[in-house]
Amino acid sequence: MKPLFQLRSGKPRAAMQLHTKILTVTAALTLLNLALIIISTGLGDMNIAPVDVVKTILGKGTEDHSIVIHTLRLPRIIAAFLVGASLAAAGAILQGIIRNPLASPDIIGITSGASVAAVAFLTYFSGAVSIKWLPVAAMAGAGVTSVIIYSMAWKKGVTPIRLVLIGIGINFLLVSLTKVMLVLSPIISASEAYIWLTGTVYGTSWEMVRAMLPWTVIFIPLAMVFARIVNVLQLGDEIAAGLGSAVQRQRFLLMWISVALAGSAVAVGGGIAFIGLIAPHMTRRIVGPSFEGVLPVSALIGGLIVVAADLIARTAFMPYDIPVGVFTAGVGAPFFIYLLYRNRNARS
Amino acid sequence: MGNVLPGAVAKSLGIVIGAILLISCIYASIVLGATKVGFSDVVQSFTHYDQSSNNQIIIKTSRIPRAFIAAAIGASLAIAGALIQAITRNPLADPNVLGINYGASFFIVFAITVLSVTSTTSLMWISFTGAVVGAAAAYLLGSVGRDGLTPLKIILAGAALSALFSSFTQGMLVLDEQGLSDVLFWLTGSVAGRTMEMLSAVWPFMAASWVAALLLARHINVLTMGEDAAKGLGQRTLAVKIAAGIIVGILAGCSVAIAGPIGFIGMVIPYMARFFAGTDYRWIIPYSAILGAVLLLLSDIAARYVVRPEELPVGAITAIVGIPFFIYVARRGLERA
């Protein structure tokens, strides 16, 4: 008998079983994240020892340290973690329901949808409307895009392949729309928007972190509630329908959770690419395909990657602060190519 | 597949009508825009060029280069698209979708920002190299595996390569803000503000590729019957594919070097050409050339009017034209197309 850890709510739908391995991995990754966040907070123009970082966070540090850590670095690093976790979770959900390892919010255009809305917000409403509304704008963009992709791909139901293809097409359209807005806007905001488009957590304030946090803490656990549904959907449409799943409705619902996570992440971090693709893959290697494990572990790995990438991006090329998205794309795109190669014999 | 014009006579007549249409579009491209110029201005700018006349200066330095560049690039991209669709047996293939344009763009941005290259001729060769690298990578990546090259795999490969190349391009531009303002408009795909010198640097290569594509058409016809059938008929299919790949690389490379990545002409036009001319590539290629030139000219004219007084990059217009088509084909199913 395998060691299992059981969680059960009143309704059997929300019951789940966690292998102890998943718990161990989750705990280890949580510690790793904490350690990396503390180390990263200490590194930069002014280096601060990890002990002093912890002291400062607990409110016992010096004034200097407190300013550097509390107003500059910590919000940025926390944002990096949240963005990574949300993107990875969004990708894990999408890959689970679309059953295609190549699906991720940025390949099928959901991220671009959020970007178009956010760039429109930045270039046309910047100054006039509070920045607090940026996440809402980005999420609306992601939502509208998903509806468009989904309805375009609908033909007596949605097949994964059609969804991916239509997504790629829509992605092209959105990318050129974004560029049009950049070209038509005054050049200063254009270069700002361009950096944002590449994906950066530079200059993130606590305000942004607070705006994003609810989305992460509501939707990742919510996705956990549907974990069993995702497990069934992963078996394929016919089997899932045979097992009594309302395949189309559930896929639609889960897609909305994915959209909320991806949209809020794009609003804060911009177009940070490929996290939604890489993190779930690494996760499945470690804990296997069961969604109860894939979701939390993906989120933690996603957070870890973005925090690490951002640490490199802001320290390795000082005084340049390179957008973190350049690094995630530099790692992610070759990985995507590797996946294509590895899945070369998969039937389309 | 439709074949609206049966018989060689009807098809030749179609070419003549197309040529007339093309000339009208070039004329429209010269006279239409923020500054209206008349027929007499156009004629006089050729016969009695008057440097004190604003209209004539606009015609000579801006409108004429723009019209001819749009026509040449439209034709080139359409021919490139027709060839790629034939080799990959994929109705959605296009230099943009397969990452070829982005490969060329990446090489160009690298040359401009890192190596400080400015000469158009050098940029053209760099762009050509990038296009060939992109095309070869997409083709290889799309054809690994048991069932070889499937239409879906090559689209995914193209999406991956586009993402890879554009993220590297972004990385370089982020480090070089000056470079950003220089190349942003170009990266979106535009034929505005180009000079005649840029076209004259690449023109011979483009024309040679058009002729080469026509000469290759007979072999492409054999290839489209299927790899096995072509081999059975004694064709060295690899040689034909490599020749077609090089032509595609030159055409896409030259186009990107002048105008940046302009998408979807190469996807939509061959489809229209097949609609008029059937399945024979000896007709598809000239039809593609004419229709591609016409479409890019019309898109460029539209780009001047949509957001007046500003101007859209023409790549945005072609994307708006091309995407519905892309979705239509994707919905219908790639394998049946």
Side-chain angles (χ1 to χ4, degrees), chain B residues 77-78 81-82 85 90-95 97 155 263-272 274 318 321-327 329:
Chain B
L77 287 174
Q85 290 186 1
N90 184 343
L92 293 181
D94 160 83
V97 172
I155 292 275
F264 299 103
I265 295 265
M267 186 169 75
V268 179
I269 291 298
Y271 191 85
M272 288 169 65
R274 281 193 293 268
T318 58
V321 175
I323 297 291
F325 177 80
F326 185 101
I327 288 171
V329 177

Side-chain angles (χ1 to χ4, degrees), chain B residues 84 88 90 93 97-98 138-139 142 149-159:
Chain B
I84 309 181
T88 60
N90 184 343
V97 172
L98 296 192
Y139 191 85
L149 187 81
T150 69
L152 181 71
K153 271 199 293 196
I154 196 158
I155 292 275
L156 288 173

Side-chain angles (χ1 to χ4, degrees), chain B residues 78-283:
Chain B
I79 292 176
L83 290 182
I84 309 181
Q85 290 186 1
I87 321 175
T88 60
R89 284 174 289 125
N90 184 343
L92 293 181
D94 160 83
N96 221 44
V97 172
L98 296 192
I100 298 171
N101 283 352
Y102 291 95
S105 303
F106 165 70
F107 273 57
I108 286 193
V109 171
F110 182 79
I112 293 176
T113 60
V114 180
L115 308 175
S116 308
V117 174
T118 48
S119 116
T120 313
T121 327
S122 320
L123 282 182
M124 184 201 76
W125 285 110
I126 290 164
S127 177
F128 163 67
T129 314
V132 169
V133 168
Y139 191 85
L140 288 177
L141 201 56
S143 50
V144 289
R146 216 184 307 120
D147 5 286
L149 187 81
T150 69
L152 181 71
K153 271 199 293 196
I154 196 158
I155 292 275
L156 288 173
L161 289 165
S162 302
L164 183 68
F165 285 127
S166 43
S167 72
F168 288 158
T169 309
Q170 280 177 352
M172 286 185 300
L173 290 178
V174 160
L175 286 179
D176 182 359
E177 274 195 31
Q178 187 55 48
L180 175 66
S181 56
D182 292 343
V183 297
L184 189 55
F185 199 78
W186 174 83
L187 270 183
T188 319
S190 173
V191 287
R194 271 61 177 175
T195 60
M196 215 58 189
E197 286 79 60
M198 297 172 90
L199 183 61
S200 47
V202 302
W203 157 255
F205 297 96
M206 279 184 165
S209 304
W210 298 346
V211 175
L214 268 178
L215 295 177
L216 198 65
R218 201 165 47 84
H219 302 283
I220 295 282
N221 281 342
V222 178
L223 191 65
T224 50
M225 297 194 297
E227 187 109 354
D228 295 333
K231 277 190 181 138
L233 288 171
Q235 187 181 62
R236 284 177 304 170
T237 54
L238 187 65
V240 174
K241 284 183 192 170
I242 288 176
I246 290 172
I247 296 173
V248 168
I250 293 178
L251 290 174
C254 292
S255 305
V256 173
I258 302 183
I262 294 177
F264 299 103
I265 295 265
M267 186 169 75
V268 179
I269 291 298
Y271 191 85
M272 288 169 65
R274 281 193 293 268
F275 174 76
F276 286 117
T279 51
D280 185 344
Y281 274 80
R282 283 172 298 183
W283 288 105

Side-chain angles (χ1 to χ4, degrees), chain A residues 215-296:
Chain A
W215 300 96
T216 316
V217 298
I218 291 171
F219 284 100
I220 292 182
L222 190 62
M224 277 305 270
V225 173
F226 295 110
R228 283 209 320 188
I229 294 175
V230 178
N231 282 340
V232 174
L233 281 175
Q234 277 175 343
L235 298 174
D237 284 5
E238 288 85 2
I239 298 176
L243 288 173
S245 272
V247 176
Q248 299 295 349
R249 205 186 61 218
Q250 291 168 348
R251 185 182 284 150
F252 193 67
L253 192 71
L254 279 154
M255 203 163 100
W256 277 106
I257 298 179
S258 178
V259 163
L261 287 167
S264 61
V266 170
V268 173
I272 296 180
F274 289 107
I275 297 297
L277 180 85
I278 313 174
H281 278 280
M282 294 173 70
T283 304
R284 279 193 292 269
R285 279 285 175 82
I286 303 171
V287 296
S290 172
F291 195 71
E292 286 93 343
V294 167
L295 186 68

